[in-house]
Amino acid sequence: MIRLEKIGKRYDLGEVEVAALTDVSLRIERGEYISVMGPSGSGKSTFMHIVGLLDVPSEGSYFLEDVEITQLPDKEQARIRNRHFGFIFQSFNLFSELSAIENVMLPMGYAGMGRGDRRKRAAELLEQVDLSDRAYHLPTMMSGGEQQRVAIARSLALKPDLILADEPTGNLPSDRGAEIMAILEGLNQEGVTIVMVTHDDDLGRRARRCIRVRDGRVAQDGGERDGGAAA
Ligand SMILES: Nc1ncnc2c1ncn2[C@@H]1O[C@H](COP(=O)(O)OP(=O)(O)OP(=O)(O)O)[C@@H](O)[C@H]1O
Ligand SMILES: [Mg+2]
């Protein structure tokens, strides 16, 4: 599905240059469930932003289904991002003035779906994350776990092939985190590719493949579990 070749990301801060990612080459196959782990500042979020086409690499090539994405115009990259990728972040990034259902409807509006269809699909998605009874709540009226489930429902709005989750359980107590994991793992069983950053060793080990990042480099890829992980 995705192939990265010698991807690097540098930030030029005038006096100093920060190498957030260096020489990252790997493949992500359709249907994989991957965890990304590593110390704070090691480049995990940078990696997720680049894979998600939210940020451009300073060097290297990014292929999606053998098409080199980095060569495509921004508009085309944005279209791919909206149609094929779903994002879940540590802080839920919900619009505080919109209700749960309106937040979920938002990406469908950008994609040009009619209002009736948007509302119907959003209601189905909220049911999928067990929040039908919170559809008209504002984010401030919901718990952290509920807000994260709204964010998941929203990320599923356009049926993504790939979900990029950056510490999706980071702000949640462990029982709430387990609910989020169960939703993500259920999606993976339905064939959605999942890449998830986590600080939690137990959660990280649930993934079939664990990528360990250190100082902006891939220090280890797979091989964490008994019998070895699929690479
Ligand atoms: N916009 C930026 N400008 C300059 N440096 C940046 C920028 N964004 C990130 N960095 C640096 O790049 C490195 C990698 O950051 P990144 O956010 O990818 O780390 P991370 O592994 O996600 O950390 P955490 O676990 O704390 O979220 C860090 O040293 C960070 O300071
Ligand atoms: Mg991060």
Side-chain angles (χ1 to χ4, degrees), residues 44-45 166-167:
K44 303 180 299 296
S45 294
D166 196 347
E167 295 197 54

Side-chain angles (χ1 to χ4, degrees), residues 11 13 18 20 38-47 166-167 199:
Y11 292 105
L13 302 179
V18 178
S40 181
S42 58
K44 303 180 299 296
S45 294
T46 306
F47 171 77
D166 196 347
E167 295 197 54
H199 273 121

Side-chain angles (χ1 to χ4, degrees), residues 33 204-210 220 222-230:
Y33 172 18
R205 267 194 287 269
R206 285 163 73 146
R208 258 175 254 135
R209 172 181 172 194
C210 179
Q220 189 178 6
E224 280 293 291
R225 266 171 136 211
D226 297 345

Side-chain angles (χ1 to χ4, degrees), residues 168-228:
T169 64
N171 278 327
L172 304 176
S174 60
D175 52 334
R176 299 280 105 155
E179 281 173 16
I180 302 301
M181 290 300 296
I183 294 172
L184 291 177
E185 287 169 8
L187 288 164
N188 180 246
Q189 272 154 22
E190 289 167 21
V192 181
T193 310
I194 309 269
V195 181
M196 177 190 70
V197 172
T198 179
H199 273 121
D200 185 319
D201 270 314
D202 292 332
L203 295 186
R205 267 194 287 269
R206 285 163 73 146
R208 258 175 254 135
R209 172 181 172 194
C210 179
I211 296 174
R212 295 202 180 255
V213 183
R214 191 169 290 272
D215 297 331
R217 292 173 184 271
V218 174
Q220 189 178 6
D221 189 348
E224 280 293 291
R225 266 171 136 211
D226 297 345

